[in-house]
C-alpha cells in the first residue's frame, strides 16, 4: 500500500504545521516526524485506524495524532489521507 494526501488534506496538514511553528518551531518538526511515522504504519496495516465515531456509516477511518485527526479512505492499493483536522473540530464527513 501507498499512503498519499489529497491536495486539500496536504494543505490542511501544512497549515497545522505552520500554526505550530509560530509558537515553537521544534514542536512542528517533532509533530511532522511523528505524523509521518504513524501514517507509514498504514502502508502495512491500512485498517488499523478506527472508524470515525461521529460518522460510522461513511467508508472513512481515522488516525489520531494529537492534536490532529487524520481521516483516510482506502482505495485500491492506496491509503488516501482526505482531511486533517484539529481534534476539537466535529466532522461532518470528509470529502474525497
Amino acid at each position: 500500500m501507498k499512503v498519499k494526501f489529497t491536495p486539500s488534506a496536504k494543505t490542511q496538514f501544512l497549515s497545522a504545521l505552520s500554526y505550530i511553528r509560530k509558537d515553537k518551531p521544534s514542536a512542528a518538526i517533532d509533530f511532522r516526524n511523528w505524523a509521518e511515522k504513524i501514517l507509514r504504519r498504514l502502508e502495512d496495516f491500512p485498517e488499523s485506524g478506527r472508524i470515525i465515531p461521529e460518522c460510522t456509516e461513511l467508508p472513512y477511518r481515522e488516525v489520531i495524532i494529537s492534536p490532529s485527526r487524520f481521516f483516510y479512505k482506502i482505495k485500491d492499493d492506496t491509503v488516501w489521507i482526505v482531511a486533517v483536522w484539529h481534534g476539537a473540530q466535529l466532522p461532518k464527513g470528509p470529502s474525497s
Side-chain angles (χ1 to χ4, degrees):
M1 287 267 174
K2 297 176 187 174
V3 176
K4 296 182 179 182
F5 282 77
T6 62
S8 60
K10 185 174 184 175
T11 298
Q12 291 167 338
F13 182 48
L14 294 175
S15 292
L17 290 172
S18 178
Y19 181 80
I20 295 167
R21 189 177 320 125
K22 287 178 188 177
D23 288 332
K24 191 170 182 186
S26 63
I29 293 168
D30 291 344
F31 177 66
R32 180 180 178 169
N33 291 339
W34 184 244
E36 288 175 353
K37 180 179 180 178
I38 297 299
L39 294 175
R40 268 195 303 272
R41 289 185 196 166
L42 295 175
E43 293 174 352
D44 295 322
F45 305 102
E47 293 187 18
S48 62
R50 70 179 188 167
I51 294 172
I52 302 167
E54 302 90 344
C55 306
T56 58
E57 70 283 354
L58 296 176
Y60 297 97
R61 301 179 85 82
E62 73 174 335
V63 173
I64 297 173
I65 305 168
S66 188
S68 297
R69 298 170 74 180
F70 289 73
F71 299 92
Y72 70 93
K73 179 179 180 178
I74 302 165
K75 184 167 182 174
D76 301 323
D77 66 343
T78 304
V79 173
W80 285 99
I81 308 298
V82 297
V84 181
W85 292 353
H86 189 279
Q89 288 178 269
L90 292 177
K92 294 179 183 172
S95 60
S96 52

